[in-house]
Amino acid sequence: MTVIITAAELARDLAGPTPPTLLDLRWQLSAPGAPAFDARAAYEAGHLPGAVFVDLDRELASPPGPRGRHPLPDLAEFGAAMRRAGVSTGTPVVVYDGGQGWAAARAWWLLRATGHPNVRVLDGGLTAWEGPLSTEVPTPAQGDFEPLPEATGVLDADGAAELAGSGVLLDARAGERYRGEVEPIDRVGGHIPGALSAPTVENVGPDGRFLSAADLRDRFKALGVSGDTPVGVYCGSGVSAAHEALALAVAGIPAALYVGSWSEWSNDPSRPVAVGPDPR
C-alpha cells in the first residue's frame, strides 16, 4: 500500500464511490517569543472541501512534560478524537497540512501505529492542491475507529540508545542542532551518541514533495540503512521524525519512532550528549 497520494489522485478518489476521510493538520512550530500559529484560523480561512480540522497539540499529543514536548496522547482520548473527526477503520484516510508535511506525517504515523490499515499523506500538502478550497466547517458522522491499546513501533529513551549502537538511529533535525552549534528550544544542544544526522528537509524537493522512492533508498543506503538493519528516528519532539519515518516508508523501509526525542533526552541530565559532526 502506498503511504502518500498526489493531489490529482486525491481529486479522483474524492469523486469516486468511496471517498477518503480528510483530516486537516495545519500546524507549524513558532519561534521562541513569537505569537503561536493559529492553526484553527488557518483552517477556517480555507481548506479542502469536507476536511475536518485536527489539533496536533491537543489531539495527537499529551501535554508537554518530562516525556517531551509532544508525548504520545492518551490512546482512548486519541480514539475519541478520531471518531469525532469521522475516522472509521474501513474507510481510507488522507491527511494533509500546510505543506511542510510534518504534522500530517505525525497523524499518519499515529493512526498507522494504532491500527488503522489505510492512511496516506497528501504529497506537498495544501500547496499542492489545485482545486477549490472551502470555508464550510463540516460535521462528520461519528466514526468507529478503535485504536490498539498500545502503539506499535515506538522507542523509549533506552531503546533509542540501544538502537544507536545495534542498528541505525537517524536524527531528523537540522544539522546545526545535531552538531550542537545552536539549540533554540531544548536545554542543551547536540545529539544522542551514535545517532546519524539525516535532516528530514533533505527527503523532499524544492516543491516540498518527496523524492522518488529510488532516490530515498539511495539516500538512506548511504547512511547505512539496509533491508535487514533495524532503523529508528527522532527529532526535537517527535513531529519532524514522523516525516522521516514517512520518507523511509516511501522507500519501503520500516522504522521505529522515538516519540520523546531530543526534548525528552536532553531534559535528563543523566543522559549522555554528543556534539559535533561525529556520531559518537
Side-chain angles (χ1 to χ4, degrees), residues 11-40:
R12 180 201 64 202
D13 288 0
L14 288 172
T18 55
T21 300
L22 276 178
L23 303 182
D24 185 303
L25 272 295
R26 221 76 61 88
W27 176 89
Q28 66 186 46
L29 186 65
S30 299
F37 174 69
D38 191 336
R40 180 78 196 198

Side-chain angles (χ1 to χ4, degrees), residues 149-198:
E150 185 173 347
T152 61
V154 178
L155 292 172
D156 60 12
D158 290 339
E162 180 180 354
L163 188 59
S166 63
V168 177
L169 182 65
L170 301 177
D171 186 318
R173 298 172 301 159
E176 58 267 25
R177 291 185 69 192
Y178 170 88
R179 296 187 295 271
E181 297 165 0
V182 298
E183 182 43 65
I185 305 172
D186 294 311
R187 187 180 67 87
V188 296
H191 58 269
I192 297 173
L196 302 175
S197 180

Side-chain angles (χ1 to χ4, degrees), residues 3-10 48 94-101 104 120-130 203-205 207-213 216 243 246-247 250:
V3 293
I4 56 175
I5 184 171
T6 67
E9 290 168 337
L10 177 57
L48 269 63
V94 172
V95 295
Y96 72 91
D97 57 25
Q100 188 177 39
R120 289 175 290 175
V121 173
L122 175 58
D123 195 16
L126 185 67
T127 57
W129 180 253
E130 297 181 353
N203 295 321
V204 298
D207 59 0
R209 302 181 197 188
F210 280 103
L211 304 179
S212 70
L216 288 170
H243 191 268
L246 179 59
V250 171

Side-chain angles (χ1 to χ4, degrees), residues 170-173 233-242 257-258 260-263:
L170 301 177
D171 186 318
R173 298 172 301 159
V233 294
Y234 76 95
C235 58
S237 68
V239 178
S240 67
L257 177 64
Y258 174 25
S261 285
W262 191 248
S263 59

